[in-house]
Amino acid sequence: MFGWTGRTVIVDLGNNAITESRTKRKDAEKFIGGRGMGCTLMDRMAETEVGPFSPDNPIIFSTGPLTGTSAPLSGHFSICTRSPITRTIFDSNSGGSFGAEMKFAGIDSLVITGKSETPVYLHIEDEEIELLPADHLWGKNTTEITGLLESRGKVACIGKAGEKMIPMASMVNDRIYPGGRGGHGAVMGSKNLKAVVVKGSNVPEIADIDAFDKAVERANRLLVANPPASKGLASYGTPVFVNLLSYMGILPADNFRKKEFAGAQKISGEFIRENYEIHKTPCDACPIGCKRTFNDGTPVPDYDAVWTFGPNIGNDDLRTIIELNSICLEYGLDPVSCGASIAAYMELNSFTAADLDLKGLLREIGEGKSELSVGSYSYLCSKGAKDISMSVMGLEISGYDPREMAGMALAYATSNRGGCHLNAFMVAPEIMGKPMLLKRQGLDGKAALVQYFQNLSAVIDSLVICPFTAFAMGEVELAALLSAATGVDRSAEELLCAGERIYNLERVFNRRPGIPINNDTLPDRFFGKDGIDKEMFERALSEYHHFRGWNENGVPTRKKLGELSIAGETGT
């Protein structure tokens, strides 16, 4: 096989057993890799009644057919599991160089199940795979863990938050790259798995080198010609969104009670660049380099962290934001969910940022000593105030206000992983005008476009490449890269069909008995006089279900599943 290594590794922590199987060509061609491969493996392995912290809940690391190649933005990998926050299937796309190292080690997918009796870490070096004791690592946070293990390879690990199975716990790879908004770190902690360390020496094989080089050259030209990527992100990193969204009047603040924030300039990407010396720390094969560190190695917060610890809690002190972001990376915590939980706590109790020891509170969350450790939705349900949680399916919404981005509103509501903006990156067409500029506030025509971007995002996450790809490339360019890499000719239409297949299989998984049903809606705060017209939204949602080929409850029909060749699944 070209593009794919043909190797799937299965680790049963409960039995201390490591087995290998061939990656099925049919699966690779139908589900591509990454998110798609994780989805189909989860569908086969995770029983309906299995909870997120059950030993039988797998956590799956997957590469894609472009991982480890020279294709731009291809240095990512996917992690998939059943989320302790949403209880649904939940994938996460993480950057750095860990994914490329997995591919160099010859792995398409790494499936980890079971629970070890004692703390362990997994070490992979090409064909050699072993489980090693991690008692000496338990109780330590991610920077220390990485320092102790990185001489053996690239490291993905959890901090104390994962050990304590905090639902907001993520894993951190390559020191500064968080992965797993859905509680992937908590699932690792429930298995007593502290880290995965991987080192490889193989070079991925390309089917048609000449065609691949041409496709790579074209992709790079498109990135250079794309100002949001080559000018905005390359110059200022993701905090470039702060001033842009503020200028457009759509920077949400104070737990989405406001649509503007007076202190935006003081925490913007432009301010950071003008006042600090920073260094690019790009993912593997990335010509943009939106990830940065300060001189002392401290990570520059991404937009998500700047927003959630800035406007979302009414804070314009950049130094505090930097420190809170660093605490999240240390403990292995998702910044968005943490900041949203603090914002909801502040609203419930009428606190301001000045009233709180924010760093102390965040450390308590990471230690499992705060009632906020369960996340905003569970916390507020316990207080009889769940309407204050700005979440979908229990996952807190990111910092893009759906009241001013109608496509984003519909995308949040119909997302398979809750309030995540990356399930359909509508920021590209509604804010950046890529590949076309859409009227932000209107819902007309958005049902079909949201479906398209959800399918495209599923493709991007399955290849596995950076979500910012959507700024410059579409299915035509991606199909050319995939076809040349694998030797399997794929048209743009076939590639989008694969994305649709993945999205539908996730939806079927999420609508099984025993899993809370997402009603495809948003918190009430976003509807009404100063927000979204509820009747127009319901009409657009009905239209969306129609475009999807789903019934009125948002469930894929047998006919649709048949069209997508999803064998053995049941619709209504």
Side-chain angles (χ1 to χ4, degrees):
M1 297 172 75
F2 293 99
W4 303 283
T5 69
R7 182 178 175 219
T8 295
V9 175
I10 302 171
V11 178
D12 184 343
L13 297 174
N15 295 316
N16 197 30
I18 300 171
T19 58
E20 295 189 18
S21 65
R22 296 295 297 170
T23 302
K24 296 180 181 179
R25 176 177 287 276
K26 185 177 180 181
D27 285 347
E29 293 180 3
K30 285 178 65 176
F31 296 99
I32 305 173
R35 172 179 168 183
M37 194 62 71
C39 174
T40 191
L41 290 171
M42 280 290 296
D43 180 65
R44 292 169 187 166
M45 300 180 69
E47 298 293 336
T48 299
E49 66 274 10
V50 171
F53 294 145
S54 165
D56 294 330
N57 179 32
I59 185 164
I60 302 168
F61 295 67
S62 296
T63 60
L66 300 181
T67 308
T69 72
S70 59
L73 309 179
S74 61
H76 285 231
F77 68 102
S78 175
I79 331 161
C80 186
T81 192
R82 173 170 279 165
S83 165
I85 294 178
T86 65
R87 298 188 65 82
T88 64
I89 193 169
F90 200 118
D91 72 284
S92 183
N93 181 330
S94 187
S97 55
F98 181 90
E101 204 69 27
M102 269 187 69
K103 192 66 169 287
F104 299 153
I107 297 176
D108 286 327
S109 292
L110 169 65
V111 182
I112 302 172
T113 189
K115 177 180 179 178
S116 174
E117 291 185 2
T118 58
V120 293
Y121 77 93
L122 182 66
H123 179 250
I124 301 169
E125 185 168 355
D126 292 329
E127 301 297 323
E128 300 297 321
I129 305 174
E130 56 184 343
L131 284 167
L132 299 170
D135 303 82
H136 64 298
L137 304 176
W138 209 253
K140 292 180 169 59
N141 275 330
T142 63
T143 298
E144 187 175 3
I145 296 298
T146 303
L148 291 168
L149 297 178
E150 63 186 352
S151 64
R152 305 202 67 185
K154 300 297 182 180
V155 180
C157 62
I158 60 172
K160 293 182 182 179
E163 293 178 1
K164 298 176 185 300
M165 294 186 288
I166 306 302
M168 297 182 289
S170 60
M171 47 141 281
V172 176
N173 59 277
D174 300 292
R175 290 186 175 266
I176 61 173
Y177 294 88
R181 280 207 63 204
H184 296 63
V187 175
M188 283 181 65
S190 75
K191 297 180 178 301
N192 278 330
L193 178 64
K194 185 63 177 177
V196 178
V197 184
V198 62
K199 185 176 182 180
S201 59
N202 302 295
V203 177
E205 294 187 57
I206 302 297
D208 188 334
I209 295 176
D210 288 341
F212 187 72
D213 287 345
K214 289 177 182 177
V216 168
E217 183 182 359
R218 173 169 170 74
N220 279 318
R221 285 202 309 268
L222 287 171
L223 286 169
V224 170
N226 181 265
S230 63
K231 299 291 191 296
L233 291 170
S235 298
Y236 304 105
T238 59
V240 72
F241 288 121
V242 175
N243 269 344
L244 177 62
L245 296 179
S246 178
Y247 174 78
M248 300 176 80
I250 54 174
L251 183 66
D254 293 345
N255 200 32
F256 288 90
R257 284 176 286 172
K258 299 176 182 177
K259 301 180 186 179
E260 57 184 20
F261 183 65
Q265 171 57 31
K266 296 166 61 177
I267 57 174
S268 66
E270 292 86 343
F271 181 87
I272 293 172
R273 181 175 176 178
E274 290 168 6
N275 290 275
Y276 294 87
E277 185 173 343
I278 55 179
H279 306 278
K280 288 188 177 183
T281 53
C283 301
D284 190 75
C286 177
I288 296 174
C290 69
K291 202 81 171 177
R292 288 104 200 283
T293 59
F294 295 105
N295 259 352
D296 62 358
T298 300
V300 176
D302 291 330
Y303 168 73
D304 288 339
V306 171
W307 167 75
T308 199
F309 292 131
N312 198 36
I313 61 172
N315 170 48
D316 64 3
D317 181 68
L318 182 60
R319 177 48 56 185
T320 298
I321 293 171
I322 293 168
E323 291 173 345
L324 293 174
N325 180 62
S326 293
I327 292 171
C328 281
L329 283 170
E330 278 294 307
Y331 277 86
L333 284 166
D334 170 47
V336 175
S337 288
C338 286
S341 297
I342 292 172
Y345 173 73
M346 291 168 62
E347 179 178 347
L348 181 67
N349 296 284
S350 300
F351 291 144
T352 67
D355 296 325
L356 301 173
D357 173 7
L358 293 170
K359 288 176 282 187
L361 177 57
L362 191 55
R363 289 192 179 95
E364 288 181 356
I365 291 173
E367 298 279 356
K369 296 178 179 179
S370 169
E371 54 187 346
L372 295 180
S373 297
V374 295
S376 72
Y377 185 76
S378 294
Y379 165 71
L380 290 165
C381 282
S382 72
K383 301 297 182 182
K386 66 179 181 180
D387 290 345
I388 295 177
S389 174
M390 297 296 101
S391 60
V392 175
M393 293 166 64
L395 184 73
E396 292 83 1
I397 288 173
S398 311
Y400 303 89
D401 198 322
R403 289 166 294 199
E404 299 297 326
M405 300 172 63
M408 193 77 257
L410 193 59
Y412 278 140
T414 58
S415 167
N416 283 338
R417 56 179 177 233
C420 174
H421 63 289
L422 294 176
N423 228 196
F425 199 44
M426 297 303 291
V427 173
E430 291 191 314
I431 299 296
M432 298 297 193
K434 302 295 178 183
M436 76 290 282
L437 181 62
L438 302 179
K439 182 180 178 183
R440 286 188 286 109
Q441 293 86 351
L443 278 162
D444 289 346
K446 293 291 175 70
L449 286 167
V450 166
Q451 176 190 214
Y452 163 77
F453 277 100
Q454 286 172 337
N455 295 344
L456 180 63
S457 292
V459 168
I460 286 171
D461 290 335
S462 300
L463 281 172
V464 189
I465 52 180
C466 176
F468 292 139
T469 298
F471 284 160
M473 286 181 270
E475 62 273 19
V476 173
E477 293 77 25
L478 298 179
L481 287 165
L482 178 61
S483 297
T486 64
V488 180
D489 287 335
R490 302 293 289 272
S491 68
E493 293 76 15
E494 288 172 330
L495 198 58
L496 283 178
C497 182
E500 184 181 11
R501 181 180 298 118
I502 293 161
Y503 209 85
N504 274 265
L505 184 55
E506 290 172 341
R507 176 60 66 126
V508 169
F509 186 100
N510 290 353
R511 294 304 173 106
R512 287 172 172 168
I515 296 179
I517 291 178
N518 169 21
N519 293 318
D520 290 346
T521 191
L522 297 168
D524 288 341
R525 176 165 297 172
F526 297 123
F527 298 107
K529 181 181 177 182
D530 297 322
I532 305 164
D533 183 289
K534 188 67 175 284
E535 290 187 6
M536 291 179 63
F537 179 82
E538 294 293 342
R539 286 198 297 271
L541 180 61
S542 178
E543 184 181 0
Y544 170 86
H545 288 159
H546 172 74
F547 269 109
R548 276 286 186 199
W550 298 348
N551 68 15
E552 65 276 9
N553 295 318
V555 180
T557 62
R558 287 190 177 93
K559 179 181 178 182
K560 171 53 66 174
L561 296 178
E563 291 172 356
L564 295 171
S565 301
I566 303 177
E569 302 302 334
T570 57
T572 60

